[in-house]
């Protein structure tokens, strides 16, 4: 029997194939924070340089970031999020909120201020009814079959 026989079809699993590795998410975090160059990303993530190079290539191939040449000799690049990459800021904001509540409840290391002037408290809600997703989402579709 093949290894993935019976594997549940799932967009979560598919997304994790692209961004589910620690260094990948931290690279995206740094780009959201405005850090664009390899050395700054390496310093702020703590990723080994060889692994960081591999992750940056994988994220570029997946269309999550793009490189822009800023120096010709030697060739040096800045990294920028694509629209798909910018959408991941929502995911990281919710992940950060979870970490603030369950890992660092007394002293969150980073706080975001929304343009409305208040501390950002992200919440995933149903677009139709406005209720939080965790209060009523029911999986359906081919991947929900048991």
């Amino acid at each position: 029997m093949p290894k993935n026989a019976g594997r549940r079809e799932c967009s979560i699993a598919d997304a994790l194939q692209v961004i589910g590795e620690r260094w990948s998410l931290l690279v995206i975090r740094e780009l959201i924070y405005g850090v664009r160059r390899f050395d700054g990303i390496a310093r702020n993530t703590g990723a080994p340089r060889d692994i960081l190079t591999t992750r940056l290539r994988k994220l570029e191939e997946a269309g999550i970031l793009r490189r822009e040449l800023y120096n010709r000799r030697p060739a040096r690049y800045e990294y920028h999020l694509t629209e798909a990459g910018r959408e991941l800021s929502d995911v990281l904001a919710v992940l950060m909120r979870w970490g603030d509540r369950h890992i660092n409840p007394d002293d969150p290391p980073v706080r975001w201020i929304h343009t409305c002037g208040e501390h950002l408290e992200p919440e995933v809600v149903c677009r139709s009814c406005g209720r939080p997703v965790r209060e009523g989402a029911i999986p359906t579709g081919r991947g929900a079959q048991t």
Side-chain angles (χ1 to χ4, degrees), residues 96-106 108 121-123 134:
M96 184 179 74
R97 181 176 182 213
W98 184 90
D100 289 349
R101 291 172 79 146
H102 299 286
I103 298 172
N104 296 304
D106 298 325
E121 295 276 341
E123 181 78 28
R134 68 179 165 273

Side-chain angles (χ1 to χ4, degrees), residues 5 41 46 68 80 96-97 123 126 133 136 145:
I41 295 168
E68 288 184 10
H80 297 268
M96 184 179 74
R97 181 176 182 213
E123 181 78 28
C126 174
V133 169
Q145 306 301 319

Side-chain angles (χ1 to χ4, degrees), residues 51-105:
I51 291 174
L52 180 57
T53 299
T54 302
R55 295 307 178 267
L56 287 165
R57 283 188 189 133
K58 183 177 179 182
L59 292 169
E60 184 179 14
E61 289 168 5
I64 292 170
L65 61 83
R66 61 180 163 59
R67 292 187 309 159
E68 288 184 10
L69 187 68
Y70 73 86
N71 191 34
R72 291 198 184 282
R73 292 180 191 248
R76 298 275 188 244
Y77 296 90
E78 287 187 334
Y79 299 89
H80 297 268
L81 292 171
T82 63
E83 182 59 32
R86 285 188 295 276
E87 285 183 28
L88 289 167
S89 65
D90 297 340
V91 173
L92 291 183
V94 172
L95 185 60
M96 184 179 74
R97 181 176 182 213
W98 184 90
D100 289 349
R101 291 172 79 146
H102 299 286
I103 298 172
N104 296 304

Side-chain angles (χ1 to χ4, degrees), residues 12 50 81 129 133:
I12 296 169
D50 59 330
L81 292 171
C129 71
V133 169

